[in-house]
Amino acid sequence: MKAALRVAVVIGLLGSAGVHFYLWTIEGLGFLAPLFLLNAISGPLIAIGLLAWRHRLMVWLAVDFGVATLGSYAIAETVGIFAQRDHFSTFAEYCATATELVCIICGGLLLVLLRNDGKNRPLKEPKPQYSLPILLSRGSEAPDGGERTV
């Protein structure tokens, strides 16, 4: 289950990055173009990290990527960003929204499963703390049983 969710999140990241790369190549983005390029680069980087390092941090990054991208699109759709207002009508917008929802939903489910795994692990026994009593105490007994003088 976790592997399938991880693959779904990777597919969502790569899909969103692909759509943003496609939109970056289109003229008319103005000074928003570097942000589209940033999404096109960061999506595959997070996807590689998600596959290579199986830690919750990478899943959090994937979910945050989806939330930030979908949130900024929602702001652009409703209020507009820098005098540009989008209209939810193109195939690229549908694909980007779907892939970002996959990142958010599947990543959230994966986080829940990873959190539950941590709760079911047995507690580790604490490691003993070692000290050097011979070096720390003065006038104590030597290891051979005699009196130690310093």
Side-chain angles (χ1 to χ4, degrees), residues 2 5-6 10 14-15 23 30 53 56 59 66 68 80-81 95-97 101 114 121-122 130 141:
K2 288 186 284 187
L5 286 174
R6 190 173 297 270
V10 166
L14 293 177
L23 292 174
W53 187 35
R56 272 187 281 191
V59 182
I81 296 177
C95 286
T97 303
L101 284 173
L114 290 174
R121 287 188 199 156
Y130 297 102
E141 191 174 295

Short mmCIF file of all heavy atoms in Angstrom, two decimals, residues 2 5-6 10 14-15 23 30 53 56 59 66 68 80-81 95-97 101 114 121-122 130 141:
data_model
loop_
_atom_site.label_atom_id
_atom_site.label_comp_id
_atom_site.label_asym_id
_atom_site.label_seq_id
_atom_site.Cartn_x
_atom_site.Cartn_y
_atom_site.Cartn_z
N LYS A 2 1.91 1.24 0.87
CA LYS A 2 2.78 2.42 0.94
C LYS A 2 3.55 2.61 -0.36
O LYS A 2 3.74 3.74 -0.80
CB LYS A 2 3.73 2.31 2.12
CG LYS A 2 3.05 2.51 3.45
CD LYS A 2 4.05 2.54 4.56
CE LYS A 2 4.49 1.12 4.83
NZ LYS A 2 5.34 1.00 6.00
N LEU A 5 1.21 4.15 -2.95
CA LEU A 5 0.99 5.58 -2.68
C LEU A 5 2.23 6.40 -3.03
O LEU A 5 2.13 7.50 -3.57
CB LEU A 5 0.62 5.78 -1.21
CG LEU A 5 -0.78 5.37 -0.81
CD1 LEU A 5 -0.96 5.48 0.70
CD2 LEU A 5 -1.82 6.22 -1.53
N ARG A 6 3.41 5.84 -2.72
CA ARG A 6 4.65 6.55 -3.03
C ARG A 6 4.80 6.72 -4.54
O ARG A 6 5.16 7.79 -5.02
CB ARG A 6 5.84 5.78 -2.46
CG ARG A 6 7.14 6.52 -2.50
CD ARG A 6 8.21 5.75 -1.77
NE ARG A 6 7.93 5.58 -0.36
CZ ARG A 6 8.31 6.42 0.59
NH1 ARG A 6 8.99 7.48 0.28
NH2 ARG A 6 8.03 6.18 1.86
N VAL A 10 4.85 10.19 -6.78
CA VAL A 10 5.91 10.47 -7.76
C VAL A 10 5.30 10.78 -9.13
O VAL A 10 5.74 11.73 -9.80
CB VAL A 10 6.89 9.28 -7.84
CG1 VAL A 10 7.79 9.38 -9.05
CG2 VAL A 10 7.72 9.20 -6.57
N LEU A 14 5.75 14.33 -11.09
CA LEU A 14 6.29 14.41 -12.45
C LEU A 14 5.25 14.97 -13.44
O LEU A 14 5.60 15.71 -14.36
CB LEU A 14 6.76 13.03 -12.91
CG LEU A 14 7.96 12.47 -12.15
CD1 LEU A 14 8.30 11.06 -12.64
CD2 LEU A 14 9.16 13.38 -12.28
N GLY A 15 3.98 14.63 -13.23
CA GLY A 15 2.93 15.18 -14.09
C GLY A 15 2.79 16.68 -13.93
O GLY A 15 2.69 17.42 -14.92
N LEU A 23 3.90 24.73 -19.90
CA LEU A 23 3.39 26.10 -19.81
C LEU A 23 4.51 27.13 -19.81
O LEU A 23 4.32 28.26 -20.24
CB LEU A 23 2.53 26.25 -18.54
CG LEU A 23 1.21 25.47 -18.55
CD1 LEU A 23 0.52 25.57 -17.20
CD2 LEU A 23 0.30 25.95 -19.66
N GLY A 30 5.00 36.31 -18.95
CA GLY A 30 5.59 37.50 -18.34
C GLY A 30 6.62 37.12 -17.30
O GLY A 30 7.41 36.20 -17.49
N TRP A 53 15.16 8.39 -0.80
CA TRP A 53 15.25 8.52 0.65
C TRP A 53 13.85 8.31 1.22
O TRP A 53 12.98 9.16 1.09
CB TRP A 53 15.80 9.88 1.01
CG TRP A 53 16.10 10.08 2.45
CD1 TRP A 53 16.56 9.16 3.33
CD2 TRP A 53 15.97 11.30 3.18
NE1 TRP A 53 16.74 9.72 4.56
CE2 TRP A 53 16.39 11.03 4.50
CE3 TRP A 53 15.57 12.58 2.85
CZ2 TRP A 53 16.40 12.00 5.48
CZ3 TRP A 53 15.58 13.55 3.83
CH2 TRP A 53 15.99 13.25 5.13
N ARG A 56 9.92 10.67 6.05
CA ARG A 56 8.70 11.48 6.04
C ARG A 56 8.92 12.88 5.49
O ARG A 56 8.00 13.50 4.97
CB ARG A 56 8.14 11.59 7.45
CG ARG A 56 7.22 10.49 7.80
CD ARG A 56 6.59 10.76 9.11
NE ARG A 56 7.58 10.41 10.12
CZ ARG A 56 7.32 10.32 11.40
NH1 ARG A 56 6.13 10.59 11.84
NH2 ARG A 56 8.24 9.97 12.25
N VAL A 59 8.03 13.13 1.87
CA VAL A 59 6.57 13.09 1.66
C VAL A 59 5.97 14.45 2.00
O VAL A 59 5.08 14.95 1.30
CB VAL A 59 5.93 11.96 2.49
CG1 VAL A 59 4.44 11.88 2.23
CG2 VAL A 59 6.59 10.63 2.18
N GLY A 66 2.35 20.22 -3.69
CA GLY A 66 0.99 20.20 -4.22
C GLY A 66 0.12 21.30 -3.65
O GLY A 66 -0.62 21.96 -4.37
N ALA A 68 1.11 24.21 -2.27
CA ALA A 68 1.57 25.53 -2.71
C ALA A 68 1.20 25.79 -4.17
O ALA A 68 0.74 26.89 -4.52
CB ALA A 68 3.08 25.63 -2.53
N GLY A 80 -6.42 36.79 -9.04
CA GLY A 80 -5.47 37.17 -10.08
C GLY A 80 -4.12 37.49 -9.46
O GLY A 80 -4.02 37.91 -8.31
N ILE A 81 -3.07 37.25 -10.22
CA ILE A 81 -1.72 37.51 -9.75
C ILE A 81 -1.06 38.45 -10.75
O ILE A 81 -0.95 38.15 -11.93
CB ILE A 81 -0.91 36.21 -9.63
CG1 ILE A 81 -1.52 35.31 -8.57
CG2 ILE A 81 0.54 36.50 -9.30
CD1 ILE A 81 -0.84 33.97 -8.42
N CYS A 95 -5.06 19.00 -16.10
CA CYS A 95 -4.01 18.03 -15.76
C CYS A 95 -3.22 18.48 -14.53
O CYS A 95 -2.93 17.67 -13.64
CB CYS A 95 -3.06 17.85 -16.94
SG CYS A 95 -3.76 16.89 -18.26
N ALA A 96 -2.86 19.75 -14.48
CA ALA A 96 -2.09 20.25 -13.34
C ALA A 96 -2.90 20.14 -12.05
O ALA A 96 -2.37 19.74 -11.01
CB ALA A 96 -1.66 21.70 -13.58
N THR A 97 -4.16 20.48 -12.11
CA THR A 97 -5.01 20.38 -10.91
C THR A 97 -5.14 18.93 -10.46
O THR A 97 -5.04 18.64 -9.26
CB THR A 97 -6.40 20.98 -11.20
OG1 THR A 97 -6.24 22.33 -11.63
CG2 THR A 97 -7.27 20.94 -9.97
N LEU A 101 -3.69 17.42 -6.92
CA LEU A 101 -4.58 16.75 -5.98
C LEU A 101 -4.07 15.35 -5.64
O LEU A 101 -4.20 14.90 -4.50
CB LEU A 101 -6.00 16.68 -6.54
CG LEU A 101 -6.80 17.99 -6.49
CD1 LEU A 101 -8.11 17.84 -7.23
CD2 LEU A 101 -7.03 18.41 -5.06
N LEU A 114 2.76 6.24 7.46
CA LEU A 114 4.10 6.30 8.04
C LEU A 114 4.04 6.67 9.52
O LEU A 114 4.85 6.21 10.31
CB LEU A 114 4.96 7.30 7.28
CG LEU A 114 5.36 6.89 5.87
CD1 LEU A 114 6.09 8.02 5.17
CD2 LEU A 114 6.21 5.64 5.91
N ARG A 121 6.05 0.38 16.52
CA ARG A 121 7.38 -0.17 16.76
C ARG A 121 7.59 -0.39 18.25
O ARG A 121 7.14 0.40 19.07
CB ARG A 121 8.45 0.79 16.27
CG ARG A 121 8.56 0.85 14.79
CD ARG A 121 9.76 1.68 14.43
NE ARG A 121 9.62 2.12 13.05
CZ ARG A 121 10.19 3.18 12.56
NH1 ARG A 121 10.95 3.92 13.32
NH2 ARG A 121 10.03 3.50 11.31
N PRO A 122 8.30 -1.46 18.60
CA PRO A 122 8.62 -1.64 20.02
C PRO A 122 9.62 -0.59 20.47
O PRO A 122 10.44 -0.11 19.69
CB PRO A 122 9.23 -3.05 20.08
CG PRO A 122 9.72 -3.30 18.69
CD PRO A 122 8.80 -2.53 17.78
N TYR A 130 28.28 5.33 29.48
CA TYR A 130 29.54 4.90 30.06
C TYR A 130 30.31 6.12 30.55
O TYR A 130 30.28 7.18 29.96
CB TYR A 130 30.38 4.16 29.02
CG TYR A 130 29.72 2.90 28.54
CD1 TYR A 130 29.09 2.84 27.32
CD2 TYR A 130 29.73 1.76 29.32
CE1 TYR A 130 28.47 1.69 26.89
CE2 TYR A 130 29.12 0.60 28.91
CZ TYR A 130 28.50 0.57 27.69
OH TYR A 130 27.89 -0.58 27.26
N GLU A 141 39.52 2.65 44.41
CA GLU A 141 40.14 1.34 44.32
C GLU A 141 40.59 1.05 42.89
O GLU A 141 39.88 1.33 41.93
CB GLU A 141 39.13 0.29 44.77
CG GLU A 141 39.72 -1.07 44.97
CD GLU A 141 38.69 -2.02 45.54
OE1 GLU A 141 38.24 -1.79 46.68
OE2 GLU A 141 38.32 -2.95 44.82
#
